Amino acid sequence: MALILGIESSCDETAAALVTHDRRILAHRLAGQEAAHRPFGGVVPEIAARAHVEMAMPLVEAALADAGVTLADVDAIAATAGPGLIGGVMVGLMTGKALAHAAGKPLIAVNHLEGHALSPRLADPDLAFPYMLLLASGGHCQLLLVRGVGDYARLATTIDDAAGEAFDKTAKLLGLGFPGGPAVEAAARMGDPKAVPLPRPLLGTNEPHFSFAGLKSAVLRARDSGRYRAEDIAASFQQAVVDCLIDRTRRQLESHPHITALVVAGGVAANGPIRAALAELAGRQGVAFAAPPLWLCTDNGAMIAWAGAERFALGLTDDMAAPARARWPLDPTAEKARGAGVKA
Ligand code: KG4
Ligand code: ZN
């Protein structure tokens, strides 16, 4: 059974994992960089790239030791080749290329978004193509039809901020700390989701896309009004995000009646109320619901190894010229969404 080494370094997590094509996770190691970025309230690309340089090889070695294997036992080496912070992507991809070259193994240049998109299939052997995917992370918020490995149709994207970005900015505005998503979720548990009237951008419109920038501005105004507790703003913000995600996703499920499963992936999929609301929506629409376990939602090496395993099984390997890419859409045919800057 093919054994794949996966390396992830596209944002602020360095990770290495060993996964088999029959879904055994033999090892997964991860080094976060929260402490290094916390003083700046966000990820600093240069600090991230340097940390990846320090951590990539030790994590690979630790993962190999955990699994009790050597590079010679590995069938292919998968590394994130984008999209992401280019310095970090280059570090992970170069590490993968060097190992592949030294060990004489094939290289698989993995799209980080494909890692998220396929991660539910690592957790759930019964999840078959096609499925509808809500991919919500720090850099993306998209609805996609996942028709197969490497075969994606983008149905909707954000025209401004990503969902995770909105969580991170809200946390910063409310002084809840970094990383923002878990901090907002924790504060929201102690707040009233109805306390603060906040907008639901694009809700109920014919426009398929997402928008979160107006929500963030409304959070700023609510904070500056001095009328609300941070916990109430956090809870109301989270509820507004839930409402927008549900409205947009329901719209796509209704117009794609042949789709039988709704899947959520990406860091924002770690959010309890968002998972619960999507599960409920799936139930109402009569489709199955799948979400990876929490540790597999946020960036990790196992999802990259798994995407590598899926590609390797189809004979999809890459040569040493595979480039590191800051941008790399899953659906290259998708039109730029109105108002979208760099997020499509
Ligand atoms: O997928 P991911 O780990 O990295 C990217 O590829 O972006 O996603 C990170 C994003 C961050 O914006 C983070 O705040 C958000 O996911 N996130 C959450 C939660 N955990 C992580 N957002 C809401 N609730 C959470 N519990
Ligand atoms: Zn990610």
Side-chain angles (χ1 to χ4, degrees):
M1 192 49 69
L3 174 64
I4 312 294
L5 168 66
I7 302 169
E8 158 61 26
S9 62
S10 67
C11 190
D12 60 344
E13 249 99 38
T14 323
L18 285 150
V19 174
T20 65
H21 191 245
D22 60 355
R23 295 181 168 79
R24 283 177 297 131
I25 300 166
L26 301 190
H28 69 95
R29 286 275 186 154
L30 186 139
Q33 308 169 358
E34 274 106 19
H37 299 295
R38 189 167 290 123
F40 306 94
V43 178
V44 183
E46 181 61 24
I47 293 175
R50 283 168 192 268
H52 290 306
V53 170
E54 280 167 24
M55 293 312 297
M57 272 314 292
L59 289 176
V60 168
E61 279 161 9
L64 289 168
D66 289 350
V69 300
T70 67
L71 265 190
D73 301 314
V74 166
D75 292 288
I77 296 169
T80 297
L85 300 173
I86 194 66
V89 173
M90 286 169 70
V91 171
L93 181 59
M94 290 308 155
T95 305
K97 284 181 179 177
L99 291 171
H101 184 69
K105 304 288 178 177
L107 171 78
I108 303 166
V110 171
N111 183 318
H112 177 84
L113 301 174
E114 181 162 65
H116 281 302
L118 299 178
S119 65
R121 283 169 49 84
L122 169 57
D124 180 356
D126 297 324
L127 179 61
F129 300 121
Y131 51 85
M132 187 169 297
L133 173 73
L134 173 63
L135 176 54
S137 69
H140 297 84
C141 187
Q142 306 187 346
L143 279 161
L144 295 147
L145 277 185
V146 181
R147 295 182 291 221
V149 175
D151 186 5
Y152 305 90
R154 197 203 70 195
L155 306 170
T157 187
T158 179
I159 61 168
D160 41 55
D161 293 348
E165 192 179 358
F167 269 92
D168 294 332
K169 288 179 176 170
T170 293
K172 206 168 178 178
L173 288 173
L174 298 179
L176 296 175
F178 172 84
V184 170
E185 184 177 1
R189 260 181 240 123
M190 296 173 290
D192 174 3
K194 295 202 180 75
V196 188
L198 293 174
R200 269 77 172 147
L202 298 181
L203 192 115
T205 64
N206 272 335
E207 171 101 50
H209 298 305
F210 299 93
S211 168
F212 296 105
L215 186 51
K216 172 193 66 195
S217 312
V219 164
L220 175 64
R221 284 193 297 277
R223 182 200 70 178
D224 288 348
S225 75
R227 290 170 55 198
Y228 305 106
R229 296 163 56 225
E231 290 82 356
D232 288 337
I233 301 177
S236 302
F237 161 82
Q238 185 171 265
Q239 187 59 51
V241 174
V242 166
D243 291 349
C244 294
L245 294 176
I246 294 301
D247 177 73
R248 312 281 76 194
T249 307
R250 189 191 57 237
R251 186 180 188 281
Q252 293 297 343
L253 284 173
E254 282 168 357
S255 50
H256 294 86
H258 63 291
I259 290 295
T260 57
L262 171 65
V263 172
V264 61
V268 178
N271 183 282
I274 290 174
R275 289 166 85 96
L278 288 165
E280 197 190 302
L281 171 68
R284 277 203 309 275
Q285 301 291 134
V287 300
F289 177 71
L294 296 192
W295 74 269
L296 205 49
C297 287
T298 46
D299 290 349
N300 64 85
M303 70 182 196
I304 302 305
W306 174 250
E310 295 245 43
R311 296 188 78 82
F312 187 68
L314 298 172
L316 300 171
T317 60
D318 296 276
D319 65 38
M320 289 292 169
R325 308 192 208 186
R327 308 225 164 90
W328 186 3
L330 274 182
D331 178 358
T333 68
E335 278 177 33
K336 227 175 164 191
R338 176 185 65 81
V342 298
K343 307 272 162 41

Short mmCIF file of all heavy atoms in Angstrom, two decimals, residues 74-135:
data_model
loop_
_atom_site.label_atom_id
_atom_site.label_comp_id
_atom_site.label_asym_id
_atom_site.label_seq_id
_atom_site.Cartn_x
_atom_site.Cartn_y
_atom_site.Cartn_z
N VAL A 74 9.27 5.11 1.76
CA VAL A 74 8.23 6.02 1.28
C VAL A 74 8.10 5.87 -0.24
O VAL A 74 9.09 5.69 -0.94
CB VAL A 74 8.63 7.47 1.66
CG1 VAL A 74 7.81 8.50 0.92
CG2 VAL A 74 8.51 7.66 3.17
N ASP A 75 6.85 5.91 -0.76
CA ASP A 75 6.66 5.75 -2.20
C ASP A 75 6.71 7.07 -2.96
O ASP A 75 7.04 7.10 -4.14
CB ASP A 75 5.32 5.06 -2.47
CG ASP A 75 5.36 3.62 -1.99
OD1 ASP A 75 6.03 2.81 -2.64
OD2 ASP A 75 4.75 3.33 -0.93
N ALA A 76 6.31 8.16 -2.29
CA ALA A 76 6.36 9.47 -2.95
C ALA A 76 6.37 10.55 -1.88
O ALA A 76 5.96 10.32 -0.74
CB ALA A 76 5.16 9.67 -3.88
N ILE A 77 6.85 11.73 -2.29
CA ILE A 77 6.94 12.85 -1.35
C ILE A 77 6.06 13.98 -1.87
O ILE A 77 6.24 14.46 -2.99
CB ILE A 77 8.40 13.30 -1.20
CG1 ILE A 77 9.18 12.14 -0.56
CG2 ILE A 77 8.49 14.57 -0.35
CD1 ILE A 77 10.67 12.29 -0.57
N ALA A 78 5.07 14.33 -1.05
CA ALA A 78 4.13 15.38 -1.42
C ALA A 78 4.44 16.63 -0.62
O ALA A 78 4.63 16.56 0.60
CB ALA A 78 2.70 14.92 -1.13
N ALA A 79 4.51 17.77 -1.28
CA ALA A 79 4.75 19.03 -0.58
C ALA A 79 3.80 20.09 -1.11
O ALA A 79 3.50 20.12 -2.31
CB ALA A 79 6.20 19.47 -0.77
N THR A 80 3.33 20.95 -0.21
CA THR A 80 2.49 22.06 -0.64
C THR A 80 3.29 22.97 -1.56
O THR A 80 4.39 23.40 -1.21
CB THR A 80 2.01 22.86 0.58
OG1 THR A 80 1.20 22.01 1.40
CG2 THR A 80 1.19 24.07 0.16
N ALA A 81 2.72 23.25 -2.74
CA ALA A 81 3.41 24.12 -3.71
C ALA A 81 2.66 25.44 -3.88
O ALA A 81 2.95 26.21 -4.78
CB ALA A 81 3.55 23.40 -5.04
N GLY A 82 1.66 25.69 -3.04
CA GLY A 82 0.87 26.92 -3.08
C GLY A 82 -0.59 26.57 -2.92
O GLY A 82 -0.91 25.38 -2.84
N PRO A 83 -1.51 27.51 -2.85
CA PRO A 83 -1.21 28.92 -2.68
C PRO A 83 -0.87 29.21 -1.23
O PRO A 83 -1.17 28.41 -0.35
CB PRO A 83 -2.53 29.60 -3.09
CG PRO A 83 -3.59 28.59 -2.74
CD PRO A 83 -2.95 27.24 -2.93
N GLY A 84 -0.24 30.35 -0.99
CA GLY A 84 0.11 30.70 0.38
C GLY A 84 1.19 31.76 0.39
O GLY A 84 1.48 32.37 -0.64
N LEU A 85 1.78 31.96 1.55
CA LEU A 85 2.86 32.94 1.68
C LEU A 85 4.07 32.36 0.96
O LEU A 85 4.56 31.28 1.32
CB LEU A 85 3.16 33.19 3.16
CG LEU A 85 1.97 33.73 3.97
CD1 LEU A 85 2.31 33.80 5.45
CD2 LEU A 85 1.53 35.09 3.45
N ILE A 86 4.55 33.07 -0.04
CA ILE A 86 5.49 32.45 -0.99
C ILE A 86 6.78 31.99 -0.33
O ILE A 86 7.33 30.94 -0.71
CB ILE A 86 5.74 33.39 -2.21
CG1 ILE A 86 6.41 32.64 -3.34
CG2 ILE A 86 6.53 34.62 -1.81
CD1 ILE A 86 5.56 31.56 -3.97
N GLY A 87 7.27 32.73 0.66
CA GLY A 87 8.52 32.31 1.31
C GLY A 87 8.37 30.94 1.96
O GLY A 87 9.22 30.06 1.79
N GLY A 88 7.29 30.76 2.67
CA GLY A 88 7.03 29.47 3.33
C GLY A 88 6.80 28.37 2.33
O GLY A 88 7.32 27.25 2.48
N VAL A 89 6.02 28.65 1.29
CA VAL A 89 5.76 27.64 0.27
C VAL A 89 7.08 27.16 -0.35
O VAL A 89 7.30 25.96 -0.53
CB VAL A 89 4.81 28.19 -0.83
CG1 VAL A 89 4.69 27.18 -1.97
CG2 VAL A 89 3.44 28.51 -0.25
N MET A 90 7.97 28.11 -0.62
CA MET A 90 9.26 27.74 -1.23
C MET A 90 10.07 26.83 -0.30
O MET A 90 10.67 25.86 -0.76
CB MET A 90 10.07 29.00 -1.56
CG MET A 90 9.51 29.73 -2.77
SD MET A 90 10.24 31.36 -3.00
CE MET A 90 11.88 30.93 -3.50
N VAL A 91 10.03 27.12 0.99
CA VAL A 91 10.79 26.30 1.94
C VAL A 91 10.29 24.86 1.93
O VAL A 91 11.07 23.90 1.81
CB VAL A 91 10.69 26.88 3.37
CG1 VAL A 91 11.30 25.91 4.38
CG2 VAL A 91 11.37 28.24 3.45
N GLY A 92 8.98 24.68 2.04
CA GLY A 92 8.42 23.32 2.09
C GLY A 92 8.61 22.57 0.78
O GLY A 92 8.96 21.39 0.76
N LEU A 93 8.39 23.29 -0.34
CA LEU A 93 8.52 22.64 -1.64
C LEU A 93 9.98 22.26 -1.90
O LEU A 93 10.27 21.17 -2.40
CB LEU A 93 7.98 23.57 -2.74
CG LEU A 93 8.03 23.01 -4.17
CD1 LEU A 93 7.23 21.71 -4.29
CD2 LEU A 93 7.49 24.04 -5.16
N MET A 94 10.90 23.15 -1.55
CA MET A 94 12.33 22.84 -1.76
C MET A 94 12.75 21.66 -0.87
O MET A 94 13.55 20.82 -1.30
CB MET A 94 13.20 24.06 -1.43
CG MET A 94 13.08 25.19 -2.42
SD MET A 94 13.33 24.61 -4.12
CE MET A 94 12.42 25.84 -5.01
N THR A 95 12.23 21.62 0.34
CA THR A 95 12.52 20.48 1.22
C THR A 95 12.03 19.19 0.56
O THR A 95 12.75 18.18 0.51
CB THR A 95 11.85 20.67 2.59
OG1 THR A 95 12.27 21.93 3.13
CG2 THR A 95 12.22 19.56 3.56
N GLY A 96 10.82 19.23 0.03
CA GLY A 96 10.25 18.06 -0.64
C GLY A 96 11.08 17.66 -1.86
O GLY A 96 11.36 16.48 -2.07
N LYS A 97 11.47 18.66 -2.65
CA LYS A 97 12.26 18.36 -3.85
C LYS A 97 13.61 17.76 -3.48
O LYS A 97 14.06 16.80 -4.11
CB LYS A 97 12.49 19.64 -4.66
CG LYS A 97 11.27 20.10 -5.45
CD LYS A 97 11.61 21.37 -6.25
CE LYS A 97 10.40 21.82 -7.06
NZ LYS A 97 10.66 23.08 -7.78
N ALA A 98 14.25 18.33 -2.45
CA ALA A 98 15.58 17.83 -2.05
C ALA A 98 15.47 16.39 -1.58
O ALA A 98 16.29 15.54 -1.97
CB ALA A 98 16.15 18.73 -0.94
N LEU A 99 14.45 16.09 -0.77
CA LEU A 99 14.28 14.72 -0.27
C LEU A 99 13.96 13.76 -1.42
O LEU A 99 14.49 12.65 -1.48
CB LEU A 99 13.17 14.68 0.78
CG LEU A 99 13.48 15.38 2.11
CD1 LEU A 99 12.23 15.46 2.99
CD2 LEU A 99 14.60 14.64 2.85
N ALA A 100 13.09 14.21 -2.33
CA ALA A 100 12.71 13.36 -3.46
C ALA A 100 13.93 13.06 -4.32
O ALA A 100 14.14 11.92 -4.75
CB ALA A 100 11.62 14.06 -4.28
N HIS A 101 14.73 14.08 -4.54
CA HIS A 101 15.94 13.90 -5.36
C HIS A 101 16.92 12.96 -4.68
O HIS A 101 17.43 12.01 -5.29
CB HIS A 101 16.58 15.27 -5.61
CG HIS A 101 17.76 15.21 -6.51
ND1 HIS A 101 17.66 14.91 -7.86
CD2 HIS A 101 19.08 15.37 -6.26
CE1 HIS A 101 18.87 14.90 -8.39
NE2 HIS A 101 19.76 15.17 -7.44
N ALA A 102 17.16 13.22 -3.39
CA ALA A 102 18.15 12.42 -2.66
C ALA A 102 17.73 10.96 -2.55
O ALA A 102 18.56 10.06 -2.66
CB ALA A 102 18.36 13.02 -1.26
N ALA A 103 16.42 10.73 -2.34
CA ALA A 103 15.95 9.35 -2.12
C ALA A 103 15.50 8.69 -3.42
O ALA A 103 15.11 7.52 -3.41
CB ALA A 103 14.81 9.36 -1.10
N GLY A 104 15.51 9.45 -4.51
CA GLY A 104 15.07 8.89 -5.79
C GLY A 104 13.59 8.54 -5.80
O GLY A 104 13.17 7.52 -6.32
N LYS A 105 12.78 9.41 -5.19
CA LYS A 105 11.33 9.16 -5.11
C LYS A 105 10.59 10.22 -5.93
O LYS A 105 11.07 11.34 -6.08
CB LYS A 105 10.86 9.28 -3.65
CG LYS A 105 11.59 8.37 -2.69
CD LYS A 105 11.20 6.92 -2.88
CE LYS A 105 11.99 6.03 -1.92
NZ LYS A 105 11.59 4.63 -2.01
N PRO A 106 9.40 9.88 -6.41
CA PRO A 106 8.62 10.89 -7.12
C PRO A 106 8.17 12.03 -6.21
O PRO A 106 7.93 11.82 -5.01
CB PRO A 106 7.40 10.12 -7.65
CG PRO A 106 7.54 8.72 -7.22
CD PRO A 106 8.74 8.58 -6.35
N LEU A 107 8.06 13.21 -6.82
CA LEU A 107 7.57 14.40 -6.11
C LEU A 107 6.12 14.65 -6.52
O LEU A 107 5.76 14.46 -7.68
CB LEU A 107 8.42 15.62 -6.52
CG LEU A 107 7.89 16.97 -6.04
CD1 LEU A 107 8.23 17.18 -4.56
CD2 LEU A 107 8.46 18.12 -6.88
N ILE A 108 5.31 15.07 -5.54
CA ILE A 108 3.94 15.50 -5.86
C ILE A 108 3.78 16.90 -5.32
O ILE A 108 3.90 17.13 -4.11
CB ILE A 108 2.89 14.55 -5.26
CG1 ILE A 108 3.14 13.12 -5.77
CG2 ILE A 108 1.48 15.01 -5.63
CD1 ILE A 108 2.41 12.05 -5.02
N ALA A 109 3.56 17.87 -6.22
CA ALA A 109 3.38 19.28 -5.83
C ALA A 109 1.89 19.48 -5.56
O ALA A 109 1.08 19.48 -6.48
CB ALA A 109 3.86 20.19 -6.95
N VAL A 110 1.55 19.63 -4.29
CA VAL A 110 0.14 19.63 -3.90
C VAL A 110 -0.39 21.06 -3.76
O VAL A 110 0.27 21.93 -3.17
CB VAL A 110 -0.05 18.87 -2.57
CG1 VAL A 110 -1.47 19.03 -2.03
CG2 VAL A 110 0.28 17.39 -2.76
N ASN A 111 -1.58 21.28 -4.31
CA ASN A 111 -2.30 22.53 -4.06
C ASN A 111 -2.87 22.44 -2.63
O ASN A 111 -3.64 21.53 -2.32
CB ASN A 111 -3.42 22.69 -5.09
CG ASN A 111 -4.17 24.00 -4.94
OD1 ASN A 111 -4.48 24.43 -3.84
ND2 ASN A 111 -4.48 24.63 -6.06
N HIS A 112 -2.49 23.39 -1.79
CA HIS A 112 -2.94 23.40 -0.39
C HIS A 112 -4.47 23.32 -0.30
O HIS A 112 -5.01 22.64 0.60
CB HIS A 112 -2.43 24.69 0.27
CG HIS A 112 -2.85 24.90 1.67
ND1 HIS A 112 -2.18 24.35 2.74
CD2 HIS A 112 -3.89 25.58 2.21
CE1 HIS A 112 -2.78 24.70 3.86
NE2 HIS A 112 -3.83 25.44 3.58
N LEU A 113 -5.14 23.99 -1.22
CA LEU A 113 -6.61 23.98 -1.19
C LEU A 113 -7.15 22.59 -1.53
O LEU A 113 -8.18 22.17 -1.00
CB LEU A 113 -7.17 25.01 -2.17
CG LEU A 113 -6.73 26.45 -1.90
CD1 LEU A 113 -7.22 27.37 -3.02
CD2 LEU A 113 -7.25 26.92 -0.55
N GLU A 114 -6.44 21.88 -2.40
CA GLU A 114 -6.84 20.50 -2.68
C GLU A 114 -6.63 19.63 -1.45
O GLU A 114 -7.40 18.70 -1.19
CB GLU A 114 -6.07 19.94 -3.89
CG GLU A 114 -6.49 18.51 -4.21
CD GLU A 114 -6.10 18.07 -5.61
OE1 GLU A 114 -4.89 17.98 -5.90
OE2 GLU A 114 -7.01 17.81 -6.43
N GLY A 115 -5.58 19.95 -0.68
CA GLY A 115 -5.37 19.25 0.59
C GLY A 115 -6.60 19.39 1.48
O GLY A 115 -7.13 18.39 2.00
N HIS A 116 -7.08 20.62 1.64
CA HIS A 116 -8.30 20.83 2.44
C HIS A 116 -9.49 20.12 1.79
O HIS A 116 -10.30 19.49 2.47
CB HIS A 116 -8.62 22.32 2.55
CG HIS A 116 -7.81 23.06 3.56
ND1 HIS A 116 -7.78 22.73 4.89
CD2 HIS A 116 -7.00 24.16 3.44
CE1 HIS A 116 -7.00 23.58 5.54
NE2 HIS A 116 -6.50 24.45 4.69
N ALA A 117 -9.61 20.26 0.47
CA ALA A 117 -10.80 19.76 -0.24
C ALA A 117 -10.93 18.25 -0.14
O ALA A 117 -12.04 17.72 -0.08
CB ALA A 117 -10.74 20.19 -1.71
N LEU A 118 -9.79 17.54 -0.14
CA LEU A 118 -9.84 16.07 -0.11
C LEU A 118 -9.74 15.51 1.31
O LEU A 118 -9.98 14.32 1.52
CB LEU A 118 -8.71 15.49 -0.97
CG LEU A 118 -8.77 15.85 -2.47
CD1 LEU A 118 -7.57 15.27 -3.20
CD2 LEU A 118 -10.07 15.36 -3.11
N SER A 119 -9.40 16.38 2.29
CA SER A 119 -9.18 15.89 3.66
C SER A 119 -10.39 15.13 4.23
O SER A 119 -10.21 14.17 4.97
CB SER A 119 -8.77 17.03 4.60
OG SER A 119 -9.81 17.99 4.74
N PRO A 120 -11.63 15.51 3.88
CA PRO A 120 -12.76 14.73 4.41
C PRO A 120 -12.75 13.28 3.94
O PRO A 120 -13.29 12.41 4.61
CB PRO A 120 -13.99 15.49 3.88
CG PRO A 120 -13.50 16.87 3.60
CD PRO A 120 -12.08 16.70 3.13
N ARG A 121 -12.12 13.01 2.80
CA ARG A 121 -12.06 11.63 2.30
C ARG A 121 -11.02 10.79 3.04
O ARG A 121 -11.10 9.57 3.03
CB ARG A 121 -11.75 11.62 0.79
CG ARG A 121 -12.97 11.97 -0.04
CD ARG A 121 -12.61 12.23 -1.49
NE ARG A 121 -11.78 11.22 -2.12
CZ ARG A 121 -12.24 10.08 -2.67
NH1 ARG A 121 -13.54 9.82 -2.65
NH2 ARG A 121 -11.42 9.24 -3.24
N LEU A 122 -10.05 11.48 3.68
CA LEU A 122 -9.11 10.75 4.53
C LEU A 122 -9.83 10.27 5.78
O LEU A 122 -9.63 9.15 6.25
CB LEU A 122 -7.92 11.67 4.90
CG LEU A 122 -6.96 11.17 5.98
CD1 LEU A 122 -6.34 9.82 5.62
CD2 LEU A 122 -5.83 12.20 6.21
N ALA A 123 -10.70 11.13 6.30
CA ALA A 123 -11.42 10.79 7.53
C ALA A 123 -12.58 9.83 7.27
O ALA A 123 -12.95 9.06 8.15
CB ALA A 123 -11.94 12.08 8.18
N ASP A 124 -13.14 9.87 6.07
CA ASP A 124 -14.38 9.13 5.81
C ASP A 124 -14.25 8.32 4.52
O ASP A 124 -14.40 8.86 3.42
CB ASP A 124 -15.55 10.13 5.72
CG ASP A 124 -16.87 9.45 5.45
OD1 ASP A 124 -16.90 8.20 5.27
OD2 ASP A 124 -17.89 10.16 5.43
N PRO A 125 -13.98 7.01 4.62
CA PRO A 125 -13.78 6.19 3.43
C PRO A 125 -15.01 6.11 2.53
O PRO A 125 -14.89 5.77 1.35
CB PRO A 125 -13.42 4.81 3.99
CG PRO A 125 -13.71 4.84 5.43
CD PRO A 125 -13.83 6.26 5.88
N ASP A 126 -16.18 6.43 3.09
CA ASP A 126 -17.40 6.30 2.29
C ASP A 126 -17.75 7.56 1.51
O ASP A 126 -18.74 7.58 0.78
CB ASP A 126 -18.58 5.93 3.20
CG ASP A 126 -18.37 4.58 3.85
OD1 ASP A 126 -17.79 3.70 3.18
OD2 ASP A 126 -18.75 4.42 5.03
N LEU A 127 -16.96 8.63 1.72
CA LEU A 127 -17.30 9.88 1.04
C LEU A 127 -16.83 9.81 -0.42
O LEU A 127 -15.64 9.88 -0.72
CB LEU A 127 -16.64 11.07 1.75
CG LEU A 127 -16.89 12.43 1.11
CD1 LEU A 127 -18.38 12.77 1.10
CD2 LEU A 127 -16.10 13.52 1.82
N ALA A 128 -17.80 9.68 -1.32
CA ALA A 128 -17.49 9.51 -2.75
C ALA A 128 -17.70 10.82 -3.49
O ALA A 128 -18.45 11.70 -3.05
CB ALA A 128 -18.39 8.42 -3.34
N PHE A 129 -17.05 10.96 -4.64
CA PHE A 129 -17.27 12.09 -5.53
C PHE A 129 -18.61 11.90 -6.23
O PHE A 129 -19.01 10.75 -6.45
CB PHE A 129 -16.17 12.16 -6.59
CG PHE A 129 -14.79 12.33 -6.02
CD1 PHE A 129 -13.81 11.38 -6.27
CD2 PHE A 129 -14.47 13.44 -5.24
CE1 PHE A 129 -12.52 11.53 -5.76
CE2 PHE A 129 -13.18 13.59 -4.73
CZ PHE A 129 -12.20 12.63 -4.99
N PRO A 130 -19.34 12.93 -6.65
CA PRO A 130 -19.03 14.32 -6.38
C PRO A 130 -19.65 14.76 -5.06
O PRO A 130 -20.61 14.16 -4.58
CB PRO A 130 -19.74 15.04 -7.55
CG PRO A 130 -20.93 14.17 -7.84
CD PRO A 130 -20.53 12.76 -7.51
N TYR A 131 -19.09 15.82 -4.46
CA TYR A 131 -19.72 16.42 -3.29
C TYR A 131 -19.59 17.93 -3.34
O TYR A 131 -18.78 18.45 -4.10
CB TYR A 131 -19.17 15.87 -1.97
CG TYR A 131 -17.66 15.86 -1.78
CD1 TYR A 131 -16.99 16.98 -1.31
CD2 TYR A 131 -16.92 14.70 -2.02
CE1 TYR A 131 -15.60 16.94 -1.10
CE2 TYR A 131 -15.54 14.66 -1.82
CZ TYR A 131 -14.88 15.78 -1.35
OH TYR A 131 -13.52 15.74 -1.14
N MET A 132 -20.44 18.60 -2.56
CA MET A 132 -20.35 20.05 -2.49
C MET A 132 -19.48 20.40 -1.29
O MET A 132 -19.68 19.87 -0.20
CB MET A 132 -21.73 20.70 -2.36
CG MET A 132 -21.62 22.23 -2.46
SD MET A 132 -23.20 23.04 -2.62
CE MET A 132 -23.77 22.38 -4.17
N LEU A 133 -18.53 21.30 -1.52
CA LEU A 133 -17.56 21.65 -0.48
C LEU A 133 -17.64 23.12 -0.13
O LEU A 133 -17.57 23.97 -1.02
CB LEU A 133 -16.15 21.34 -0.99
CG LEU A 133 -15.01 21.81 -0.08
CD1 LEU A 133 -14.92 20.94 1.16
CD2 LEU A 133 -13.68 21.79 -0.84
N LEU A 134 -17.80 23.40 1.15
CA LEU A 134 -17.59 24.76 1.65
C LEU A 134 -16.17 24.79 2.19
O LEU A 134 -15.87 24.12 3.18
CB LEU A 134 -18.60 25.12 2.74
CG LEU A 134 -18.34 26.45 3.44
CD1 LEU A 134 -18.45 27.63 2.48
CD2 LEU A 134 -19.32 26.65 4.61
N LEU A 135 -15.32 25.54 1.52
CA LEU A 135 -13.91 25.63 1.93
C LEU A 135 -13.71 27.01 2.56
O LEU A 135 -13.74 28.02 1.87
CB LEU A 135 -13.01 25.45 0.70
CG LEU A 135 -11.51 25.61 0.89
CD1 LEU A 135 -11.00 24.71 1.99
CD2 LEU A 135 -10.79 25.29 -0.41
#
